[in-house]
């Protein structure tokens, strides 16, 4: 059985309800500004948001633990 490195949800509220034990009680929420790449699967974020991600990852290691939920509109 394989697992995706991220989980998916249709809203922040649903993600918080469904994945509370996975993402914690106050998850970092970053909005992508767009997509890139040949499959349009690479998420783009602002430099400021990328700094927040890196800082939060330094504190918690959430990226290495694959504790990421993507909200798809």
């Amino acid at each position: 059985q394989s697992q995706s490195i991220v989980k998916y949800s249709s809203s922040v509220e649903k993600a918080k309800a469904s994945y509370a034990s996975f993402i914690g009680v106050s998850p970092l929420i970053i909005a992508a500004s767009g997509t890139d790449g040949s499959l349009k699967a690479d998420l783009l974020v602002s430099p400021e948001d990328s700094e927040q991600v890196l800082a939060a990852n330094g504190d918690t290691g959430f990226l290495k633990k694959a504790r990421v939920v993507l909200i798809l509109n």
Side-chain angles (χ1 to χ4, degrees):
Q1 176 181 354
S2 66
Q3 283 189 333
S4 173
I5 61 169
V6 299
K7 298 194 182 304
Y8 299 90
S9 184
S10 59
S11 74
V12 172
E13 294 76 22
K14 287 180 182 179
K16 286 181 177 181
S18 299
Y19 303 120
S21 64
F22 180 74
I23 59 175
V25 293
S26 62
L28 174 64
I29 299 172
I30 300 292
S33 59
T35 58
D36 197 15
S38 61
L39 299 176
K40 298 294 184 196
D42 301 329
L43 300 177
L44 302 175
V45 296
S46 72
E48 296 81 11
D49 285 345
S50 66
E51 288 177 18
Q52 279 190 292
V53 169
L54 293 175
N57 185 58
D59 293 342
T60 65
F62 74 93
L63 292 175
K64 186 174 183 176
K65 297 173 189 172
R67 292 184 175 241
V68 175
V69 178
L70 297 179
I71 309 302
L72 304 176
N73 294 336

